[in-house]
Amino acid sequence: QLQAFGGGLVQAGGSLRLSCAASAQSSYLMGWFRQAPGKEREFVAAIRWSGFSTYYTDSVKGRFTISRDNAKNTVYLQMNSLKPEDTAVYYCAATRRIYSDSSGWYDYWGQGTLVTVSS
């Protein structure tokens, strides 16, 4: 079970931190996806519960940072320098695959949290 928190309204250039609490580390890879109105769900970032590998889509590199706290079974997405085009519902998800940026390979999903960036 996954629960995502931390969305809200922020001005362009501002920051937000999303959290995703997992009931257990039963997966191998945790990902963040987002879906803007009228658009398909897209990959944002991913991190494994072990090791140091992180993955980002090009549009957020240098602005977003994914991290984890294994003791709390929680994954974070720190979002800085937010842009209006970052406005979307953000979902956390889990998969047993070593890596995937495709939503179809993720087995578990949180409920989504809305991020709105005003210009």
Side-chain angles (χ1 to χ4, degrees):
Q1 184 176 3
L2 303 176
Q3 289 188 315
F5 305 93
L9 174 63
V10 64
Q11 289 188 330
S15 298
L16 281 175
R17 188 176 81 157
L18 306 183
S19 301
C20 177
S23 57
Q25 294 179 22
S26 58
S27 61
Y28 192 82
L29 183 75
M30 296 292 294
W32 284 99
F33 289 78
R34 65 186 180 186
Q35 188 166 18
K39 295 188 177 181
E40 293 187 354
R41 191 168 298 188
E42 66 171 349
F43 172 79
V44 177
I47 188 169
R48 297 180 184 142
W49 283 115
S50 61
F52 303 98
S53 298
T54 57
Y55 308 92
Y56 299 94
T57 192
D58 286 346
S59 63
V60 307
K61 285 180 181 177
R63 300 189 298 124
F64 291 11
T65 302
I66 190 170
S67 62
R68 67 175 194 264
D69 184 331
N70 290 51
K72 297 181 179 179
N73 290 347
T74 300
V75 174
Y76 304 98
L77 186 67
Q78 177 66 44
M79 305 185 295
N80 298 328
S81 302
L82 283 161
K83 304 176 181 180
E85 51 263 44
D86 295 317
T87 295
V89 176
Y90 283 71
Y91 299 89
C92 63
T95 178
R96 292 186 177 91
R97 296 180 70 86
I98 294 174
Y99 171 75
S100 178
D101 60 2
S102 174
S103 61
W105 288 110
Y106 282 74
D107 307 296
Y108 307 98
W109 291 85
Q111 80 282 13
T113 184
L114 176 62
V115 172
T116 304
V117 184
S118 62
S119 57

